[in-house]
Amino acid sequence: MAYIEFDHVVKEYPSGSSVIRALDEASFTAEQGELSVILGQSGAGKTTALNILGGMDTATTGRVVVGGRDITGLRKKGLVTYRRNDIGFVFQFYNLVPNLTALENVELPLIYRGIDRKTRRKLAVESLKKVGLEKRMDHKPNEMSGGQQQRVAIARAIAARPPVILADEPTGNLDSASSREIMEILK
C-alpha cells in the first residue's frame, strides 16, 4: 500500500449553467520518502490536486488516502487537524503574514500545532538557516526579495518536519543554483 493514494479523483466547480471539471479521474500514488512531481499545462488542475491532497479542498468524487487514513470523508474539524499535523505547504504565492518577521511567519504554524515556545523558536531558526536566511530572520516580507520570501515559505513548510510536504512551484522565483539547493532541502 502506497503512503499516498489519489484514486480516481474528480473535482467539479459550478460555472453558471455549466460545470468546470478541474480534475477528471486523476490517479497517482506516492511512497513514503518519495519525491513526486505533478506536471501539466497551466489550468490542468495541478494546484487543485495539491489543495485536495492537502485537505484545503474536497473532491467531488474519488478517494484520497494518506498514511493509511482516508481523508476524503473528513469533516471540517478533521481536515483542520490533518492539515495542521500532517502537511507542510509551500504555496505558489507564499501566503506570508505581512506584519510578521520571517521568524514569526515560520513559527506561526508551529503555534497551531501546540509546540512550546522554546522548541518552536529552535525549529524556526533551524529551518531558516537551512534555506540560507539566518541573517534575514527579523525582516518582514516587504523587506525581502521574492526569492527570499519563497525561502521563508519553504522554511515554514519544513520546520515541523511533517510527513508530507506539498509545494506548488517551490522554485519558481529562484535561480538554477538556488533551485537545486531548495530541492535538496525538500528531499
Side-chain angles (χ1 to χ4, degrees):
M1 179 182 207
Y3 191 78
I4 294 174
E5 297 177 58
F6 203 81
D7 188 29
H8 294 89
V9 175
V10 172
K11 180 61 181 180
E12 295 176 334
Y13 296 100
S15 178
S17 61
S18 63
V19 172
I20 295 173
R21 191 169 261 210
L23 289 175
D24 189 10
E25 298 283 330
S27 295
F28 64 86
T29 61
E31 300 297 331
Q32 192 165 13
E34 182 177 26
L35 175 67
S36 299
V37 178
I38 301 173
L39 296 172
Q41 297 176 345
S42 180
K46 301 178 299 292
T47 298
T48 300
L50 290 177
N51 286 341
I52 291 170
L53 181 58
M56 294 189 317
D57 202 352
T58 56
T60 304
T61 62
R63 202 175 77 131
V64 180
V65 178
V66 180
R69 179 172 41 162
D70 188 343
I71 68 161
T72 313
L74 292 178
R75 297 194 191 274
K76 193 173 187 175
K77 186 176 181 181
L79 286 171
V80 168
T81 301
Y82 166 71
R83 283 192 305 265
R84 183 181 58 225
N85 296 328
D86 297 310
I87 301 294
F89 287 102
V90 180
F91 296 98
Q92 187 174 4
F93 300 108
Y94 321 135
N95 292 354
L96 300 177
V97 180
N99 61 332
L100 298 182
T101 66
L103 185 62
E104 292 165 338
N105 265 287
V106 175
E107 283 183 308
L108 189 60
L110 302 174
I111 292 169
Y112 296 133
R113 287 180 184 219
I115 297 173
D116 67 87
R117 182 183 198 109
K118 184 178 177 183
T119 303
R120 73 174 176 255
R121 178 60 51 111
K122 179 179 177 277
L123 292 170
V125 167
E126 285 174 2
S127 63
L128 283 164
K129 284 181 178 178
K130 280 183 184 174
V131 299
L133 290 178
E134 57 275 358
K135 294 181 180 172
R136 305 289 288 179
M137 291 187 202
D138 295 325
H139 290 79
K140 293 183 178 174
N142 68 346
E143 300 169 333
M144 293 184 272
S145 70
Q148 289 170 330
Q149 289 178 44
Q150 193 163 22
R151 287 170 177 267
V152 173
I154 292 165
R156 181 181 57 199
I158 66 173
R161 300 177 184 101
V164 177
I165 296 175
L166 301 175
D168 195 354
E169 299 189 30
T171 61
N173 286 326
L174 303 176
D175 58 74
S176 296
S178 295
S179 293
R180 284 189 295 278
E181 180 184 336
I182 291 304
M183 291 310 294
E184 285 303 313
I185 290 167
L186 289 173
K187 283 196 264 182

